[in-house]
Amino acid sequence: MAERHKYSIIVPTYNERLNIALIVFLVFKHIPDVDIEIIIVDDGSPDGTQDIVKQLQQVYGDDRILLRARPRKLGLGTAYIHGLKHASGNFVVIMDADLSHHPKYLPHFIKKQMESGADIVTGTRYVRGGGVHGWTLMRKLTSRGANVLAHTLLWPGVSDLTGSFRLYKKSVLEDIISSCVSEGYVFQMEMIVRASRKGYHIEEVPITFVDRVYGSSKLGGSEIVEYLKGLVYLLFTM
Amino acid sequence: MKHIAKIMAFLMAVTAVWISLLQTKMIPQSHTWLLPLYFIVSLGCYGLLMVGVGLMQFPTCPQEAVLLQQDVIEAKQFLKHNGVDVGTD
């Protein structure tokens, strides 16, 4: 008997008033016949993001758009944990709210998981069919250098370690997330490396990543230091 | 086994081979002493090569930015029509 699947899409937001509306529209455009709920974990955005979410609930229904807000910025890892508590699906998708992750890839994730039975399907920007737009040469260089370093040290089994566009079986996400301690993109690395070490079946799908439609993301010295610290932590504890 | 333990085991095996090479004098001593240096330099070169190759082959998708803009326009139209404030950003 075919199991009924429901996908809970957790989107942590902070000041994403416009992007969250665009994302919700695009999600329903690309997977109209899939049983989903979008859980928006907003950390007290001052720009009125939560008001927009309430308007979206009028359009799409408050059974499919869940607003589970928090009082202030409390970190990415805890945002996922918070979202997970309210997730009623048997699968969980995590994605960014700034439109760098395009909902048009959701059918690819779902299809890959159903075909392979994977525990985790992770989006990768670094293979043919995937790609990045909006990065300077310097940014690409640091990304590539970071990737080579991480692969040499950790042998992670995935091509995109810091990616945060992923589909998890809910039970698998719950298992991994409880043991993760890092923050930011090191958190994403820790999640996938932990999963790999625990022997979970991980598949990849190519995704394209358009960086920051409205604004530009920075990669400064402190981020690099954080990354290196994270690598060393993962090297010695995994 | 923890990953670091695997790496340590590998390094110890390589070191053991190196020491035995020193002992048996199959290769001239001067060469053997330099082997660890060669190894590290090779590793460094390999790393740089991988970075360079990866950089050259870095997949880009300029057309995606165009598609995204089209999606944004479509989305804004629908949302405005349905009472969601997409304002002027």
Side-chain angles (χ1 to χ4, degrees):
Chain A
M1 190 198 300
E3 203 188 314
R4 295 278 311 278
H5 294 307
K6 182 171 181 182
Y7 298 84
S8 300
I9 304 171
I10 301 178
V11 187
T13 61
Y14 188 76
N15 282 350
E16 299 286 6
R17 174 194 175 90
L18 175 57
N19 286 331
I20 193 61
L22 301 174
I23 287 173
V24 168
F25 169 79
L26 289 168
V27 169
F28 284 103
K29 176 185 170 188
H30 286 283
I31 41 174
D33 302 318
V34 178
D35 188 10
I36 60 172
E37 61 183 4
I38 303 179
I39 303 172
I40 297 161
V41 182
D42 183 72
D43 282 355
S45 297
D47 74 342
T49 300
Q50 295 186 27
D51 298 326
I52 298 297
V53 175
K54 293 189 182 121
Q55 288 176 12
L56 290 166
Q57 285 176 321
Q58 297 297 314
V59 180
Y60 294 99
D62 58 10
D63 56 329
R64 293 198 297 178
I65 311 276
L66 276 58
L67 176 62
R68 298 290 177 261
R70 303 190 302 174
R72 62 190 176 282
K73 271 191 167 195
L74 292 171
L76 193 66
T78 49
Y80 292 140
I81 294 173
H82 186 77
L84 250 188
K85 283 204 274 263
H86 303 281
S88 61
N90 54 333
F91 288 98
V92 176
V93 174
I94 61 163
M95 56 189 294
D96 289 351
D98 62 358
L99 267 188
S100 52
H101 294 153
H102 200 299
K104 68 183 174 188
Y105 292 105
L106 287 169
H108 300 219
F109 280 89
I110 294 172
K111 180 161 179 253
K112 187 72 172 186
Q113 193 285 322
M114 293 185 83
E115 283 172 351
S116 66
D119 298 309
I120 303 174
V121 179
T122 177
T124 170
R125 299 161 286 182
Y126 302 143
V127 301
R128 281 255 313 260
V132 177
H133 177 76
W135 280 7
T136 60
L137 186 65
M138 199 58 210
R139 180 72 181 85
K140 287 183 199 169
L141 180 64
T142 39
S143 157
R144 187 62 196 160
N147 224 329
V148 167
L149 188 61
H151 273 84
T152 310
L153 290 177
L154 295 175
W155 314 341
V158 295
S159 61
D160 190 344
L161 273 172
T162 55
S164 48
F165 196 178
R166 296 180 181 154
L167 165 69
Y168 293 84
K169 281 186 184 166
K170 185 170 168 207
S171 54
V172 173
L173 181 58
E174 282 167 339
D175 178 28
I176 306 171
I177 209 165
S178 53
S179 22
C180 286
V181 297
S182 317
E183 265 304 318
Y185 53 85
V186 180
F187 170 78
Q188 303 295 354
M189 284 168 57
E190 189 182 355
M191 294 269 277
I192 205 73
V193 172
R194 263 191 207 278
S196 177
R197 301 282 186 256
K198 283 193 176 202
Y200 283 118
H201 179 183
I202 304 173
E203 292 285 340
E204 292 193 302
V205 298
I207 58 165
T208 56
F209 183 95
V210 179
D211 197 341
R212 289 278 174 171
V213 183
Y214 302 93
S216 62
S217 53
K218 293 183 284 270
L219 194 71
S222 61
E223 271 93 4
I224 293 177
V225 168
E226 282 308 305
Y227 177 80
L228 292 172
K229 276 158 66 176
L231 260 189
V232 170
Y233 165 76
L234 289 175
L235 181 62
F236 284 96
T237 55
M238 292 289 118
Chain B
M1 201 204 298
K2 277 222 172 55
H3 184 74
I4 187 73
K6 283 191 207 160
I7 295 182
M8 288 288 121
F10 170 73
L11 285 176
M12 290 216 295
V14 168
T15 310
V17 168
W18 179 61
I19 289 174
S20 63
L21 278 177
L22 278 176
Q23 305 277 0
T24 59
K25 298 181 166 75
M26 273 199 301
I27 306 173
Q29 288 269 305
S30 50
H31 285 357
T32 318
W33 276 110
L34 287 174
L35 276 177
L37 190 64
Y38 295 155
F39 175 70
I40 293 170
V41 169
S42 311
L43 198 64
C45 288
Y46 174 75
L48 284 173
L49 187 71
M50 294 312 293
V51 172
V53 167
L55 195 59
M56 283 197 301
Q57 292 180 333
F58 207 106
T60 57
C61 49
Q63 74 283 2
E64 289 294 327
V66 176
L67 290 174
L68 183 59
Q69 286 310 318
Q70 289 170 356
D71 284 332
V72 169
I73 290 168
E74 183 190 341
K76 278 185 170 177
Q77 249 175 352
F78 175 88
L79 291 165
K80 212 174 245 170
H81 187 72
N82 283 278
V84 180
D85 177 21
V86 288
T88 44
D89 246 321

